[in-house]
Amino acid sequence: MKIKQYIYPFLFVLLTLGACSSDDEGTDPDPGTGGGTVDPPPAAAQPINLTDYDNGTGVMMQAFYWDVEPRHEWWDVLSEQVDEWAEAGIDRIWLPPATKGQSGGYSMGYDVSDYFDFGDYFQHGTTETRFGSRAELEDLISAAHSNGIEVIADIVINHNSGGGEQFNPYRGYNTYTLFDQEHGNASGMFNRNFEYFYPNSVSQYDPGSLFYAETNLDHHREYVQDWLWKKENSVAKYYQNVMGFDGWRFDYVLGFEPWVVKDWLDEVGGFSVVEMWDGNAGNLRNYVEETGSGAFDFSTFYKLDEAFDRFDDLTYLQKDMLWKTHPTKAVTFTANHDTEKDTNQDNYIAAANKMKAYAFILTHPGYPTIFYSDYENPSFQEELNQLILINNTIATGDFEVLYVDADEYVMQRKGTATNPGLILYINISNNIKARGDIQTKWNSTPVMDYSGNINFSTSTAADGKVQLRAPANGYAIYSIME
């Protein structure tokens, strides 16, 4: 992981102005109820260089959105961006399903047909996938690795699409379950027929698929296990050893039992995160304990949605979330290709609240993910880069909520003996907020905002208490000065 070797422009402005205590645009803050006074920092106090700290964490980039354009060029588009992402502090990229789907050149890969066609064979109306050729994918993986970035494969092993039609005696009618070189599996590897989908001569019932019932793979069949993860030329080992993928994002794990993920990881290892679309932290917790895999933290996603969008109440940020008990297994996020497909749905955080949500996940425990479309939004990118820098440097140590009500949320990361940590102050009211008697770990120490959102610095008292401020409908991130 690279750490930026410069300070962002808005912090440079603070440097050139010198340490000061002032309100944004001269607006008097709402003093809150905490009391306290503002002690200016010493005139010589300067911002710390965040790049002097490296807490060993990183950030994953979801490197696609739904129906990416231009078609057949996506791998090349990403290859041109990995240098910049590495410089920003991205240490993994999550790619869409990389092999041929039933929709051919229009497929986002989730209608997987041939697990070994990365753009090698003409089938479903195209040789290249929607994202490009195999050679272009290999170039992207090489470019990522040369920048110290791991590449995560999206694995769809619940359902298949695009096979040939055949009579299925276990259903009593024709199903599209014939996959061979003439029917949706031009590679000739992992050929399938109705015996390898539910139901069949061995398994009479589907353990949990809500979708794709006729083409839901039966993972109890030894043949399916061999081809997916056990054989030397299995999907898992081919992706890992031939293509160079470093880990896995398992799609729709509600469609098969947890032991499948555990067996896969026991066989091949690698970084792993599952899409278990469940907002209940307890259910996510049980899953990661049973499988050993990480999980996208939908419990946090929904609490952010409730706090910022649905109820305008920051006390929801105190609810149960996966990262509170399993920080190394919780992959936090504010958006993905599914939540952003239809912005009128309930599963969506409004653009006006996105940066506050990102400030939360990039300062709290857990492994945060940035959504490609958010990062490429010119209104967000500079701010996201600063948050990534903060995440990778001073967002460390135990966390403690110092104050919370409907409008305000104040949280401290306590740092370590050699890392100062930080304080996040979120404010969703329409006024600047000031809260006194905030108990910090910094005694008689100058502090300032490192988010660039409010031009304010002060000093803590001898007992560590301080008054801090947050911009209207925004956030500030405080740490020490030198």
Side-chain angles (χ1 to χ4, degrees):
M1 179 188 70
K2 297 181 180 179
I3 297 290
K4 275 190 176 293
Q5 296 302 311
Y6 59 87
I7 296 178
Y8 287 91
F10 44 76
L11 287 185
F12 178 75
V13 170
L14 292 179
L15 270 169
T16 57
L17 290 174
C20 60
S21 298
S22 64
D23 302 329
D24 279 356
E25 300 175 354
T27 305
D28 290 332
D30 178 342
T33 59
T37 59
V38 175
D39 296 317
Q46 295 292 313
I48 58 173
N49 183 355
L50 296 182
T51 64
D52 289 341
Y53 303 91
D54 182 356
N55 58 26
T57 63
V59 175
M60 183 162 66
M61 175 73 73
Q62 179 179 357
F64 64 100
Y65 55 92
W66 198 257
D67 288 343
V68 296
E69 295 288 350
R71 290 189 304 115
H72 309 302
E73 298 179 25
W74 193 246
W75 300 145
D76 285 342
V77 169
L78 299 184
S79 291
E80 295 175 357
Q81 295 175 298
V82 291
D83 287 358
E84 172 192 349
W85 291 348
E87 185 70 17
I90 301 298
D91 68 338
R92 289 188 179 99
I93 56 172
W94 157 28
L95 300 186
T99 55
K100 196 70 59 64
Q102 181 181 15
S103 303
Y106 294 90
S107 172
M108 284 298 296
Y110 293 98
D111 54 348
V112 62
S113 178
D114 189 335
Y115 285 97
F116 295 90
D117 180 3
F118 293 89
D120 307 78
Y121 306 96
F122 183 83
Q123 57 182 332
H124 299 304
T126 183
T127 298
E128 293 189 344
T129 67
R130 183 187 191 106
F131 313 112
S133 69
R134 176 185 180 127
E136 291 163 350
L137 172 59
E138 291 171 333
D139 287 345
L140 167 60
I141 293 172
S142 177
H145 286 166
S146 68
N147 278 281
I149 294 176
E150 290 190 352
V151 183
I152 307 307
D154 202 318
I155 297 296
V156 183
I157 58 173
N158 175 68
H159 52 276
N160 292 170
S161 303
E165 187 176 12
Q166 62 180 171
F167 178 73
N168 188 330
Y170 303 105
R171 290 190 176 272
Y173 53 83
N174 286 1
T175 54
Y176 292 91
T177 48
L178 177 61
F179 291 82
D180 58 24
Q181 287 177 281
E182 288 74 42
H183 304 91
N185 198 50
S187 68
M189 302 172 72
F190 193 17
N191 287 327
R192 287 145 278 163
N193 60 39
F194 54 73
E195 276 289 356
Y196 304 111
F197 301 91
Y198 287 103
N200 54 62
S201 61
V202 174
S203 304
Q204 294 304 308
Y205 102 109
D206 185 332
S209 179
L210 301 178
F211 307 102
Y212 318 105
E214 293 180 346
T215 55
N216 181 25
L217 281 168
D218 179 4
H219 301 92
H220 295 90
R221 300 303 301 264
E222 193 71 22
Y223 179 85
V224 174
Q225 295 176 25
D226 284 345
W227 271 109
L228 285 180
W229 68 86
K230 287 184 175 180
K231 293 173 59 169
E232 285 308 306
N233 59 344
S234 65
V235 171
K237 293 177 183 176
Y238 193 92
Y239 278 46
Q240 188 177 68
N241 300 329
V242 178
M243 298 303 297
F245 284 101
D246 303 288
W248 325 101
R249 180 266 185 186
F250 289 95
D251 180 66
Y252 186 54
V253 298
L254 291 173
F256 49 90
E257 299 101 322
W259 66 261
V260 174
V261 172
K262 185 178 188 307
D263 278 14
W264 180 298
L265 295 179
D266 286 347
E267 184 71 29
V268 298
F271 172 85
S272 172
V273 58
V274 301
E275 182 208 30
M276 183 179 176
W277 200 307
D278 191 325
N280 184 294
N283 293 339
L284 295 170
R285 191 172 296 122
N286 291 338
Y287 194 94
V288 302
E289 290 176 354
E290 186 171 355
T291 64
S293 175
F296 281 112
D297 192 350
F298 279 91
S299 60
T300 295
F301 171 77
Y302 281 113
K303 292 303 172 285
L304 292 170
D305 178 29
E306 290 166 354
F308 294 127
D309 278 359
R310 300 191 193 196
F311 306 122
D312 296 320
D313 183 350
L314 296 186
T315 63
Y316 279 88
L317 299 180
Q318 284 195 298
K319 303 289 186 179
D320 192 18
M321 305 181 209
L322 178 62
W323 61 263
K324 291 186 176 183
T325 56
H326 293 72
T328 64
K329 298 296 185 182
V331 181
T332 52
F333 68 101
T334 68
N336 64 31
H337 58 296
D338 285 319
T339 67
E340 297 285 315
K341 273 193 295 187
D342 180 3
T343 56
N344 294 316
Q345 63 185 347
D346 288 337
N347 305 311
Y348 177 73
I349 295 175
N353 292 320
K354 279 279 183 71
M355 296 312 301
K356 294 189 290 291
Y358 274 117
F360 185 93
I361 69 169
L362 286 157
T363 55
H364 283 69
Y367 180 54
T369 304
I370 306 293
F371 181 53
Y372 179 91
S373 297
D374 289 339
Y375 190 80
E376 292 304 312
N377 183 336
S379 299
F380 292 164
Q381 188 172 110
E382 185 176 10
E383 196 169 348
L384 281 172
N385 277 336
Q386 184 65 13
L387 286 171
I388 293 169
L389 178 62
I390 288 170
N391 176 83
N392 292 352
T393 55
I394 56 173
T396 193
D398 293 340
F399 85 97
E400 178 185 5
V401 176
L402 302 178
Y403 181 82
V404 64
D405 64 16
D407 290 341
E408 297 172 80
Y409 176 87
V410 186
M411 180 278 298
Q412 180 171 224
R413 294 296 297 276
K414 296 183 179 180
T416 66
T418 57
N419 191 309
L422 58 78
I423 289 176
L424 169 70
Y425 189 170
I426 302 176
N427 166 28
I428 61 171
S429 76
N430 292 322
N431 302 306
I432 294 173
K433 286 283 189 178
R435 181 147 299 279
D437 290 336
I438 293 175
Q439 183 63 62
T440 78
K441 59 166 281 187
W442 308 310
N443 300 328
S444 303
T445 303
V447 297
M448 64 170 282
D449 166 50
Y450 284 84
S451 72
N453 291 331
I454 189 167
N455 180 15
F456 178 71
S457 57
T458 185
S459 288
T460 64
D463 63 0
K465 290 185 178 180
V466 69
Q467 185 195 92
L468 298 178
R469 298 179 182 178
N473 197 25
Y475 66 90
I477 300 173
Y478 289 92
S479 194
I480 67 171
M481 302 173 72
E482 296 178 319

